[in-house]
Amino acid sequence: MKKLPIFSALFFTALSITCFATSGGDNAQTALNNPIQIPFSERGTICGANNDVDNVESNGISPIYLSGNDWVYYFVAPQAGEMNIWLTNMFPIQPNSLLSIWADDIQYGRCVGSATVVHYASTGFMVNTVKGKGYYILVDNWPSPDCFDYT
């Protein structure tokens, strides 16, 4: 049985309601069919997941970061504004991890934010979102056997 993904995100920090969901998927289509609601926080892992997201227009991200196990989340921005995305409690700490967000389409869309080469148990960044626009969040890693759990 596949473990549920662990993903911790502080979305639209002005919102005070916390929402927990079991969502996302091992590929973009599954994530699209199981969207997350903002704000969102969840525990999970990429261990045992497949490498379904690797042939993308990387927008400057080295392809090696897209060549390992991955988990994908999809959401439609409920409002325009700044959004903080955090990946925390990584275990084991993976210096070869990738956290990225893609506008519109993960395959040919535009990477609007990313963080790589993690040397601590957390990483993150801030992006500006457009109300009503769809976004994919990708948690990825170098080729197996490297993998990690996260919040």
Side-chain angles (χ1 to χ4, degrees):
M1 180 180 219
K2 187 181 291 189
K3 291 183 180 178
L4 296 176
I6 305 168
F7 180 79
S8 176
L10 239 202
F11 294 97
F12 299 102
T13 54
L15 297 177
S16 61
I17 300 172
T18 303
C19 174
F20 294 95
T22 303
S23 303
D26 197 29
N27 59 58
Q29 186 60 52
T30 303
L32 181 66
N33 294 338
N34 298 292
I36 60 175
Q37 299 297 313
I38 306 303
F40 174 78
S41 178
E42 190 169 273
R43 303 180 78 105
T45 185
I46 63 168
C47 298
N50 293 317
N51 177 31
D52 296 311
V53 183
D54 62 353
N55 189 23
V56 300
E57 296 294 324
S58 63
N59 293 301
I61 296 172
S62 173
I64 193 75
Y65 287 103
L66 300 167
S67 60
N69 303 355
D70 48 55
W71 197 261
V72 184
Y73 299 90
Y74 176 80
F75 70 95
V76 174
Q79 65 188 47
E82 295 178 348
M83 179 172 63
N84 293 305
I85 300 175
W86 291 98
L87 187 65
T88 62
N89 300 317
M90 292 174 63
F91 183 81
I93 296 172
Q94 279 299 335
N96 307 320
S97 63
L98 167 69
L99 175 64
S100 59
I101 185 167
W102 302 76
D104 301 318
D105 180 330
I106 200 166
Q107 190 68 38
Y108 301 104
R110 181 172 53 96
C111 181
V112 295
S114 67
T116 59
V117 190
V118 177
H119 294 286
Y120 304 100
S122 64
T123 188
F125 52 89
M126 189 272 308
V127 296
N128 287 307
T129 59
V130 176
K131 182 179 181 176
K133 188 175 195 72
Y135 295 89
Y136 288 89
I137 297 171
L138 174 64
V139 181
D140 210 330
N141 202 37
W142 283 34
S144 294
D146 292 341
C147 69
F148 54 91
D149 297 333
Y150 57 94
T151 300

